[in-house]
């Protein structure tokens, strides 16, 4: 028979999980089947979890014994929140190693010793593809160590095992892919020096493997990172992005070309080059139109019409063309699920920026508030970095109640 349920204060549990066990709210959301902004709302002390099935799922995901959340409590037993809090904190500290932070897919690792079989590169590539799905819902702060461990394991295997030349090329290609994956997580988590080193290692491994597409993508990552710098850095990044397209070549599969051209478009937009950005977006669109169902590499499979719409909106936002940016961003984000909290928060920041440029201050404030809700507790530095200049521009309009509210939301 089900235990009697009180209104459980999982907000306290979520807060303790984050502060004491290092479990991000986005990871809690992914594991517990709760929308990311709902986790943030609960952690702030607003709302409660009262559904039995949801309580059980959260307790199981966080490895919390039922007695700590009232599932086994008898009607005559009383435990105050003050009594439960220290025990809950100590339990989460002690069980952090077994918590969501390591609750990743349990994939079989290659056995050690002897000669590597010719099928190992494909097995590792499939493993890498499965782990890439974590990036759909988690930030780099959650995934970096896992991705870096994969890269280091393959690098060690290349150094310590024997294999044929063909298998060696396959392993180098996987290594390049893993380095990009770890580099992206490092970039997302604010580890910029580590990201650059991994991207450079990826480019070398891909070139040594003869994988032109991956070598081009490594350059595209380096260009994307370089756009954070000064004017000269941005000009250099444009050249690197152009080299990425040339490195992959015209024979690269359509989604790869679309990905590289949209990143070239972004580099041109950040550098203020409107015509060049539009030409690159057109090239990306033409490449996507060629997709006909033939296999595409998993690392480029996420590039689709919605992604290209969003990138187009981002470019027009950077180029201060809000009449072009707002419609495409609105349309794309209407179809974008909230479970992708980090990415949606980022994309909303560009929409808010364009609304501000268009003079729609109240709409900009509302979108900013939505982005803040989604970014709360996400293990990524990028949403708050992107929202910071928007919030600074909103300060000029703080006399408006909706703006004052969102500025207070940002402070809290």
């Amino acid at each position: 028979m089900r235990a009697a349920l009180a209104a459980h204060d999982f907000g306290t549990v979520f807060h303790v999980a984050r502060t004491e066990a290092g479990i991000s709210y986005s990871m809690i959301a992914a594991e517990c089947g709760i929308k990311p902004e709902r986790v943030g709302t609960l952690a702030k002390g607003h709302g409660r979890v009262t559904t039995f099935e949801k309580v059980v799922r959260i307790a199981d995901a966080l490895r919390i014994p039922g007695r700590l959340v009232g599932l086994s409590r008898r009607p005559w037993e009383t435990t105050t929140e003050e009594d439960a809090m220290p025990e809950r904190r100590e339990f989460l500290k002690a069980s952090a190693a077994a918590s969501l932070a390591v609750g990743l897919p349990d994939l079989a690792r290659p056995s050690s010793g002897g000669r590597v079989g010719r099928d190992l590169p494909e097995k590792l590539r499939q493993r890498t593809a499965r782990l890439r799905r974590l990036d759909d819902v988690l930030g780099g702060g959650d995934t970096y160590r896992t991705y870096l461990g994969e890269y280091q394991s393959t690098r060690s295997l290349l150094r310590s095992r024997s294999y044929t030349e063909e298998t060696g090329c396959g392993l180098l290609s996987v290594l390049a892919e893993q380095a990009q994956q770890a580099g992206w997580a490092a970039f997302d988590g604010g580890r910029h020096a580590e990201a650059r080193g991994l991207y450079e290692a990826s480019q070398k491994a891909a070139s040594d493997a003869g994988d032109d597409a991956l070598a081009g993508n490594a350059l595209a990552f380096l260009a994307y990172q370089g756009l954070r710098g000064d004017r000269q850095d941005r000009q250099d990044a444009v050249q690197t992005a152009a080299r990425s397209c040339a490195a992959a070549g015209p024979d690269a599969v359509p989604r790869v070309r679309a990905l590289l051209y949209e990143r070239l478009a972004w580099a041109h937009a950040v550098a203020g080059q409107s015509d060049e950005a539009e030409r690159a977006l057109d090239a990306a669109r033409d490449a996507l139109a060629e997709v006909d169902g033939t296999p595409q590499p998993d690392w480029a499979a996420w590039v689709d019409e919605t992604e290209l719409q969003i990138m187009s909106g981002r470019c027009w936002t950077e180029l201060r063309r809000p009449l072009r940016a707002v419609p495409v961003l609105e349309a794309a984000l209407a179809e974008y699920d909230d479970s992708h909290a980090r990415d949606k928060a980022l994309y909303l920041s560009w929409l808010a920026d364009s609304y501000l440029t268009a003079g729609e201050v109240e709409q900009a404030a509302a979108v900013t508030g939505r982005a803040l809700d989604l970014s709360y507790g996400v293990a990524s530095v990028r949403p708050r970095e992107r929202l910071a200049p928007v919030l600074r521009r909103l300060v000029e309009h703080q006399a408006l109640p909706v703006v004052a509210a969102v500025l207070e939301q940002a402070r809290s």
Side-chain angles (χ1 to χ4, degrees):
M1 186 173 179
R2 291 181 176 179
L5 273 179
H8 296 285
D9 182 14
F10 271 101
T12 301
V13 173
F14 295 159
H15 179 75
V16 171
R18 183 185 182 194
T19 58
E20 304 295 341
I23 305 170
S24 74
Y25 292 159
S26 55
M27 189 172 277
I28 292 172
E31 192 78 6
C32 298
I34 304 175
K35 288 188 175 182
E37 69 271 26
R38 174 67 171 157
V39 176
T41 298
L42 288 166
K44 293 175 184 177
H46 305 305
R48 299 222 170 193
V49 179
T50 57
T51 305
F52 180 86
E53 289 79 5
K54 187 67 73 176
V55 170
V56 171
R57 180 169 180 175
I58 294 171
D60 180 64
L62 291 171
R63 281 51 165 190
I64 300 174
R67 61 186 171 77
L68 290 186
V69 292
L71 290 179
S72 59
R73 188 180 303 162
R74 275 71 171 179
W76 58 86
E77 295 177 332
T78 59
T79 302
T80 66
E81 185 59 37
E82 290 73 17
D83 294 333
M85 182 69 167
E87 186 178 5
R88 198 174 284 156
R89 179 179 288 112
E90 291 307 312
F91 182 84
L92 281 165
K93 278 184 178 179
S95 64
S99 69
L100 299 177
V102 294
L104 302 171
D106 184 18
L107 305 175
R109 302 190 67 82
S111 58
S112 60
R115 189 175 179 85
V116 170
R118 61 187 300 177
D119 61 339
L120 182 57
E122 181 56 29
K123 287 181 179 178
L124 286 177
R125 201 178 299 282
Q126 290 174 8
R127 175 185 174 88
T128 301
R130 287 182 63 186
L131 286 172
R132 184 175 291 108
R133 301 298 176 264
L134 296 175
D135 190 64
D136 290 343
V137 291
L138 304 180
D142 291 324
T143 58
Y144 174 63
R145 291 296 176 190
T146 298
Y147 291 163
L148 182 65
E150 294 293 305
Y151 165 72
Q152 291 172 334
S153 176
T154 302
R155 186 175 61 176
S156 175
L157 186 149
L158 272 160
R159 291 173 175 174
S160 62
R161 304 282 290 278
S162 60
Y163 36 78
T164 65
E165 182 177 353
E166 180 183 358
T167 299
C169 284
L171 289 173
L172 278 172
S173 178
V174 172
L175 185 72
E177 191 174 337
Q178 291 171 331
Q180 288 178 21
Q181 194 162 275
W184 174 249
F187 178 78
D188 192 48
R191 300 170 177 265
H192 299 300
E194 291 95 326
R196 172 167 286 278
L198 285 160
Y199 293 154
E200 290 171 346
S202 174
Q203 184 192 2
K204 182 180 186 310
S207 297
D208 289 347
D211 193 329
D212 294 338
L214 267 175
N217 201 42
L219 287 169
F221 274 126
L222 285 165
Y224 197 94
Q225 187 176 25
L227 293 169
R228 296 171 48 86
D230 58 21
R231 182 174 181 177
Q232 184 57 54
D233 289 334
R234 293 194 294 272
Q235 291 297 331
D236 291 344
V238 170
Q239 297 303 315
T240 303
R243 284 172 53 210
S244 77
C245 296
D251 295 330
V253 296
R255 287 193 196 276
V256 169
R257 283 185 282 121
L259 172 59
L260 300 183
Y261 274 117
E262 72 162 36
R263 286 181 175 163
L264 176 60
W266 175 241
H268 282 307
V270 174
Q273 300 165 351
S274 176
D275 291 343
E276 292 87 343
E278 185 152 25
R279 281 196 293 271
L281 288 171
D282 286 343
R285 198 169 292 111
D286 290 343
L288 268 186
E290 296 177 28
V291 175
D292 59 2
T294 56
Q296 310 284 305
D298 185 79
W299 52 265
W302 55 276
V303 181
D304 57 16
E305 290 294 337
T306 299
E307 165 60 26
L308 185 54
Q309 271 190 297
I310 289 170
M311 180 57 81
S312 298
R314 289 172 56 185
C315 289
W316 298 127
T317 298
E318 288 294 317
L319 291 163
R320 295 292 179 258
R321 305 279 289 277
L323 294 182
R324 297 191 69 171
V326 169
V328 292
L329 287 173
E330 287 276 20
L333 289 171
E335 305 297 324
Y336 213 88
D337 195 270
D338 287 356
S339 62
H340 304 294
R342 176 199 59 201
D343 292 344
K344 190 162 186 177
L346 276 166
Y347 301 153
L348 284 168
S349 74
W350 276 287
L351 179 59
D353 194 341
S354 269
Y355 272 128
L356 266 177
T357 301
E360 299 290 344
V361 177
E362 292 182 330
Q363 190 66 25
V367 172
T368 301
R370 180 84 178 106
L372 286 170
D373 280 339
L374 284 167
S375 67
Y376 189 72
V378 171
S380 168
V381 301
R382 294 188 300 134
R384 294 300 292 228
E385 284 181 351
R386 269 292 310 157
L387 287 167
V390 176
L391 289 164
R392 287 196 293 271
R393 292 173 68 191
L394 282 171
V395 169
E396 302 172 14
H397 309 280
Q398 59 187 313
L400 292 171
V402 66
V403 174
V406 81
L407 291 174
E408 178 59 31
Q409 179 185 355
R411 285 191 290 269
S412 63

